[in-house]
Amino acid sequence: MTAPALDPATSAKVPADLAAVTAQSWTARAPGPVRPITGHDIALNECASVRGAATWQQQPYLSSGGNSAVLEIYTFGTEAAAGAAYEGVRSGMSSCQATSRALQSANHLKADAVARQTATATGAAAFERVWTGVQGISAQGAQTNHLYLAAHGTRVLVLHFDELAGGSPAAAPYDAQQDPNVLSLLTNLLASPAGTR
C-alpha cells in the first residue's frame, strides 16, 4: 500500500508503513490539509510547543498494537526560524520531567514523571516520558509518551505517539532501542526534496 501523499509543495511524502524501523507496523491514514498557522503556537504536549511556523500538516498512523501516531510537518519562512523552533522543542523536552512533575503536584497527583532523551542524531532527537498523565493535552492515567524531532532547511518534523496503560494487553510495549532508527527515517525524509521519496 502506498501512503497518501502529503502536499508536495511544502512537505515530504511519507511511507505508508513504519514497520521497517519499529517492531509494530504503522499504517498511514489520510493526511490532513496543509494549514497556514502564522502567528499561532502549536502545543505538542505540556512541555513543548512549535513556535513561528508558517504551515502545519498532520499525517496520522495506526499501529498494529492499536496505538495512534501522528507525523507533523511544519514549514518556516527561514532556516533560522526552523532552527529556533527545533531548539525550542528540544529544550522543552529536555526539561519535561520537571515540568510534568510540577503539573502532577498542582493536580494533587504523585509526582512520578520520568522523562529522558532516548536517542540523538544531527538535527534530530528522541524523547520518552513515563508518567501518570494529567487530563488536558495528555490523556489521564498511566502512560508512556514518545516524541521524535528533526529539522532540516525550513522544515521541522515531529512524530509522536502514546502508549496508554488501558491499551491492548496483547501488544508488547514499544522498545525505545528502536529510536535511532526512527530518527534516521525522519532525517532521511527531511533530506529528500519536498514531494519526493
Side-chain angles (χ1 to χ4, degrees), residues 144-163:
T144 302
N145 312 129
H146 302 274
L147 186 141
Y148 307 88
L149 173 68
H152 180 78
T154 59
R155 294 185 292 170
V156 173
L157 300 188
V158 178
L159 173 67
H160 53 97
F161 69 94
D162 302 321
E163 296 177 280

Side-chain angles (χ1 to χ4, degrees), residues 111-136:
D112 64 0
V114 176
R116 65 188 180 104
Q117 186 168 330
T118 57
T120 188
T122 302
F127 300 90
E128 177 183 79
R129 172 176 62 175
V130 180
W131 72 318
T132 302
V134 176
Q135 190 166 0

Side-chain angles (χ1 to χ4, degrees), residues 55-148:
T55 67
W56 172 36
Q57 186 174 24
Q58 294 181 304
Q59 169 66 65
Y61 289 88
L62 184 65
S63 80
S64 57
N67 295 314
S68 295
V70 177
L71 174 65
E72 301 187 39
I73 301 178
Y74 297 89
T75 61
F76 296 81
T78 66
E79 288 187 20
Y86 169 86
E87 285 302 324
V89 173
R90 191 193 58 73
S91 176
M93 291 307 298
S94 294
S95 59
C96 193
Q97 180 168 305
T99 301
S100 301
R101 287 185 176 187
L103 181 62
Q104 288 176 313
S105 293
N107 283 272
H108 312 292
L109 294 173
K110 180 179 177 185
D112 64 0
V114 176
R116 65 188 180 104
Q117 186 168 330
T118 57
T120 188
T122 302
F127 300 90
E128 177 183 79
R129 172 176 62 175
V130 180
W131 72 318
T132 302
V134 176
Q135 190 166 0
I137 296 175
S138 293
Q140 186 174 348
Q143 61 194 277
T144 302
N145 312 129
H146 302 274
L147 186 141
Y148 307 88

Side-chain angles (χ1 to χ4, degrees), residues 1 3-6 14-16 26-32 58-63 69:
M1 173 184 169
L6 294 169
V14 297
W26 296 84
T27 304
R29 302 300 187 207
Q58 294 181 304
Q59 169 66 65
Y61 289 88
L62 184 65
S63 80

